[in-house]
């Protein structure tokens, strides 16, 4: 899916005696731009190759470089390049993507950029963009480093007497560290601009840095957005599911269809968070594209969806992960425009802020109240991720499963079992609703506030949530989870953990503990003990509120079955299951495929407006 940006790697450009033309950059010799800086506190060794020559950058042409620690490399973007014609490109993504906004890679109208013509002149100064992306870094000399190597440093000067800026050089210059593998710079200028990349000393690390330095008069060649683009939905032991935010807030069907037809333009990078080295590259597209453990689409299925609110968003199903492992997950875009790579404005990729998630299972249960290393043991997984169901199309979470049941060897087979069972039960309800006069005048309908269409939707949402339980590792200790199926042995044959009161002899006769919510799950799937994220009570209230009283729907009373059948919104967070919503996302964050305030408002409104009988 990605261009790999394999520009010629310049190993020793500053040792050449004649001009080298490589990927749009050249090395200037004694043409008036040669300058050997003096660093008061540094010997000649740190200057290395930097003194004799300076690399000339061309518009949107990345200088792909390798630099040894304790070295410096110098660059110039000449004034003549500021007067080049504007670049004309076609933006790759549909307009009005307010939630996931890639337009940061284009300057806004205040700086004179509009539409596909990226640059218009405004006075004698022109806005110059500079981006530094670290593509590779020295490796650690120890097995478990406490931090990645220190970042590369970018120095900027617009002064003729400071043509190779650097550390400890007197004079006016800018300084930017490439924290996380990326930094950028934008400033109006009318003359030559000088830059230097400095590699600090790296005790405890071996090897060189590699990087891309790109200047542009059109737009940043690469970009880092300091907001997350992904939301973690759920996982099982070897896979995870993510969704993007709404990609447009427009109500225009034309714009929404344009997004749906993209097929999913964004990609995803993932890497084991136990590897601290990756934090030195999390903001760099080329760094992640080189080093992330998940960086190709081989184990990733993407698509577009309108679930959870009806607006376009991208979904990701990532396979091949390790159990009980924390991961950094990063959404990225290869380019803002129809072409990627060298020479294209914005062609170096966009990276959003990473999020952290952890795969299920492989956690340890302890067989005694006091945890001893010798008492820890692992259990096999009971939860498996499913998505893309035909009927319950908002279900994209882990469900009770049994990896040793050969009848459900694949996710598709397991999903079909749950989906077919639910749709069959829905048909029975539909037959009953047909006995209600729905197609009649408003005055003759069963309610002036709602109708049969709303009843259909409320029943479907409720039915999918209660017949397809959301499964969580039994070892999870969250207080709002409900233990299920405790009469069954763990599927690896392990005994029940001593000291866990849930497995007491008395509890084995308690129905809501000794079985699953749906008996067919225990009969056919045959999972071991697991915990369930209970459906939100608001789904039941919504069913009663929207359907005819003649159907006899009622919700259990608080303290009389409700507490182990349904969950609640707690502390302004969704700690119960609504298919299509994101579990645990705080409303205060302002994020989510559908604003969490919608779900919380819905639940609270139903609690207030329904009297349970």
């Amino acid at each position: 899916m990605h261009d790999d940006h394999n520009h010629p790697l310049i190993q020793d450009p500053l040792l050449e005696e004649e001009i080298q033309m490589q990927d749009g950059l050249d090395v200037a010799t004694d043409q008036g731009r040669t300058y050997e800086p003096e660093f008061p506190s540094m010997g000649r060794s740190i200057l290395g190759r930097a003194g004799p020559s300076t690399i000339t950058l061309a518009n949107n042409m990345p200088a792909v470089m390798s630099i040894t620690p304790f070295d410096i490399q110098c660059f110039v973007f000449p004034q003549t390049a500021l007067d080049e014609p504007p670049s004309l490109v076609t933006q790759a993504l549909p307009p009005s993507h307010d939630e996931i906004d890639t337009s940061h890679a284009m300057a806004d109208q205040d700086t004179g950029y509009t539409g596909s013509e990226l640059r218009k002149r405004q006075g004698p100064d022109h806005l110059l963009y500079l981006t530094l992306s670290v593509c590779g870094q020295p490796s650690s000399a120890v097995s478990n480093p406490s931090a990645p190597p220190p970042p590369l440093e970018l120095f900027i000067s617009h002064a003729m007497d400071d043509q190779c800026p650097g550390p400890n050089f007197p004079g006016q210059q800018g300084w930017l560290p490439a924290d996380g593998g990326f930094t950028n710079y934008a400033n109006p200028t009318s003359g030559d601009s000088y830059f230097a990349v400095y590699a600090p000393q790296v005790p405890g690390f071996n090897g060189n840095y590699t990087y891309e330095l790109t200047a542009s008069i059109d737009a940043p060649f690469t970009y880092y957005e300091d907001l997350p683009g992904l939301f973690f939905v759920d996982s099982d032991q070897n896979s995870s599911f993510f969704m993007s935010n709404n990609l447009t807030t427009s109500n225009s069907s034309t714009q929404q269809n344009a997004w749906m037809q993209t097929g999913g333009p964004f990609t995803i990078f993932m890497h084991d968070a136990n590897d601290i080295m990756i934090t030195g590259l999390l903001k760099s597209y080329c760094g992640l594209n080189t080093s992330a453990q998940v960086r190709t689409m081989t184990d990733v299925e993407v698509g577009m969806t309108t679930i959870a609110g009806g607006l376009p968003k991208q979904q990701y199903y990532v396979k091949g992960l390790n159990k009980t492992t924390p991961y950094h997950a990063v959404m990225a875009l290869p380019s803002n425009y129809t072409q990627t790579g060298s020479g294209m404005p914005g062609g170096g990729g966009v990276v959003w802020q990473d999020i952290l998630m952890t795969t299920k299972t492989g956690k340890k249960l302890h067989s005694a109240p006091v945890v001893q290393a010798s008492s820890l043991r692992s259990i096999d997984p009971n939860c498996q991720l499913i998505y893309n169901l035909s009927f319950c199309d908002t279900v994209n979470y882990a469900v009770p499963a049994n990896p040793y049941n050969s009848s459900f060897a694949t996710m598709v087979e397991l999903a079909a079992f749950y989906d077919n069972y639910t749709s069959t039960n829905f048909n029975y309800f539909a037959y009953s609703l047909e006995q209600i006069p729905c197609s009649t005048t408003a005055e003759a309908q069963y309610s002036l506030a709602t109708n049969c269409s709303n009843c259909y939707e409320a029943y479907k949402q409720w039915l999918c949530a209660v017949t397809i339980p959301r499964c969580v590792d039994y070892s999870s200790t969250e207080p709002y989870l409900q233990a299920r199926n405790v009469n069954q042995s763990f599927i690896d044959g392990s005994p029940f953990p001593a000291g866990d009161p849930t497995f007491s002899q008395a509890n084995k006769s308690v129905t809501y503990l000794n079985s699953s919510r749906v008996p067919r799950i225990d009969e056919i799937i045959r999972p071991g003990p697991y915990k369930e994220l209970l459906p939100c009570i608001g789904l039941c209230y919504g069913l009663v509120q929207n359907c005819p009283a003649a159907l006899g729907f009622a919700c259990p009373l608080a303290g009389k079955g409700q507490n182990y059948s349904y969950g609640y919104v707690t502390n302004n967070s969704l700690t119960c299951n609504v298919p299509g919503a994101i579990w645990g996302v705080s409303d205060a964050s302002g994020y989510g495929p559908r604003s969490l305030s919608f779900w919380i408002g819905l639940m609270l409104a139903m609690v207030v407006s329904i009297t349970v009988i």
Side-chain angles (χ1 to χ4, degrees), residues 36-39 42-52 70-72:
E36 182 168 344
E38 295 180 4
F39 298 94
M42 298 182 185
R44 183 63 184 85
S45 61
I46 192 176
L47 302 181
R49 300 166 294 178
F70 207 46
D71 201 354
I72 193 167

Side-chain angles (χ1 to χ4, degrees), residues 468-483:
I468 309 180
R470 185 159 185 167
C471 182
V472 182
D473 284 338
Y474 184 81
S475 54
S476 178
T477 58
E478 297 293 349
Y480 46 80
L481 299 176
Q482 178 61 58

Side-chain angles (χ1 to χ4, degrees), residues 274-296:
N274 292 312
D275 178 12
I276 194 69
M277 292 288 289
I278 197 63
T279 60
L281 301 171
L282 281 177
K283 299 179 181 180
S284 167
Y285 186 92
C286 70
L288 291 168
N289 203 32
T290 301
S291 299
Q293 291 164 338
V294 176
R295 60 179 184 270
T296 69

